[in-house]
Amino acid sequence: MREDVKNTLKTLYEIGNVAEDSVFLLQTSLIYNTLTLLNDCRAKVEYIKETLPQLIKTLTELVKVNPNLEPYVPVPSHLLRIGENIEKLVELINRKVKEEVLFSDKDLSEITFLLQRLMEILRPASDIILARNKFLSRYVQESEAGVMRRAIEYATRHEELLIEGSYLPIASSICINMLDAIKSIAWHA
């Protein structure tokens, strides 16, 4: 394999790992209700956003020479969308902490559970870039479906509680938007 192809695939893999690290920072920030880790997360998202445009150009050129790389062409776009949704989560957690919005223990548990599941999806999704393993691919697809089901279930519960008047609109809005971003990350993985 050519060195430029190896470097391109390795960079895609590393960006996937940066996304996973970012989700860990988000989860920790949410659990401890702190803003300090969000700056690290923002820096990681900036790295993703700055690295991908050049990587897209490089990959486009490499595909012209090596058509076997065609399956990798959409990967940078998906990684970019993952980065954008991580950025949304950063802003939502930032808002939650700054405005001192309280989540119930159940809400916190549900969202941290889904963030953990995202990390468990992003690692093998990155590994697929280097390994192209069908079993890993199937695992990621099944895990994504599970995250989607749970996120929809949790969002429905939030909406029902909001309608009943037993939930603060600000907390519900933040939770539902977090669930949407989590679903999007899982889908793009």
Side-chain angles (χ1 to χ4, degrees):
M1 187 181 292
R2 290 177 32 181
E3 196 63 31
D4 51 354
V5 171
K6 281 183 185 177
N7 290 336
T8 301
L9 296 180
K10 184 179 175 194
T11 303
L12 284 173
Y13 170 79
E14 289 170 356
I15 290 172
N17 288 337
V18 167
E20 179 194 3
D21 293 343
S22 299
V23 173
F24 173 77
L25 293 172
L26 290 170
Q27 183 185 42
T28 305
S29 182
L30 181 65
I31 291 169
Y32 293 106
N33 205 42
T34 181
L35 296 173
T36 55
L37 299 174
L38 293 181
N39 288 332
D40 292 342
C41 193
R42 279 188 185 99
K44 289 181 182 297
V45 169
E46 282 306 310
Y47 167 76
I48 291 170
K49 289 166 61 177
E50 290 171 1
T51 306
L52 285 173
Q54 180 57 46
L55 203 58
I56 290 169
K57 289 178 186 174
T58 303
L59 194 54
T60 303
E61 291 302 314
L62 289 172
V63 167
K64 292 175 185 174
V65 179
N66 186 349
N68 292 334
L69 294 174
E70 186 124 2
Y72 295 101
V73 171
V75 173
S77 297
H78 288 292
L79 289 170
L80 185 59
R81 298 298 170 260
I82 288 170
E84 290 169 354
N85 281 285
I86 289 171
E87 196 169 40
K88 286 179 190 174
L89 288 169
V90 166
E91 295 312 315
L92 290 164
I93 293 171
N94 185 53
R95 182 176 175 203
K96 178 199 172 304
V97 173
K98 281 187 174 178
E99 294 179 19
E100 298 178 355
V101 176
L102 297 177
F103 282 6
S104 70
D105 288 342
K106 185 171 182 141
D107 297 337
L108 192 57
S109 174
E110 290 171 350
I111 294 194
T112 55
F113 170 79
L114 290 176
L115 291 172
Q116 182 64 41
R117 294 295 296 145
L118 281 182
M119 288 186 285
E120 293 168 4
I121 291 172
L122 289 170
R123 173 63 60 178
S126 296
D127 291 344
I128 291 169
I129 293 169
L130 297 180
R132 290 181 70 173
N133 183 308
K134 290 182 182 186
F135 294 109
L136 282 177
S137 178
R138 194 170 310 126
Y139 170 80
V140 169
Q141 290 170 354
E142 290 171 4
S143 296
E144 178 265 342
V147 167
M148 296 295 254
R149 266 192 314 278
R150 289 276 177 102
I152 290 168
E153 175 185 314
Y154 298 160
T156 301
R157 186 182 60 79
H158 283 282
E159 291 167 355
E160 289 169 353
L161 289 171
L162 186 61
I163 290 168
E164 292 172 4
S166 56
Y167 205 72
L168 293 174
I170 185 80
S172 181
S173 172
I174 291 172
C175 276
I176 290 171
N177 285 315
M178 288 178 80
L179 292 168
D180 284 342
I182 288 169
K183 286 190 307 189
S184 185
I185 292 169
W187 187 87
H188 284 287

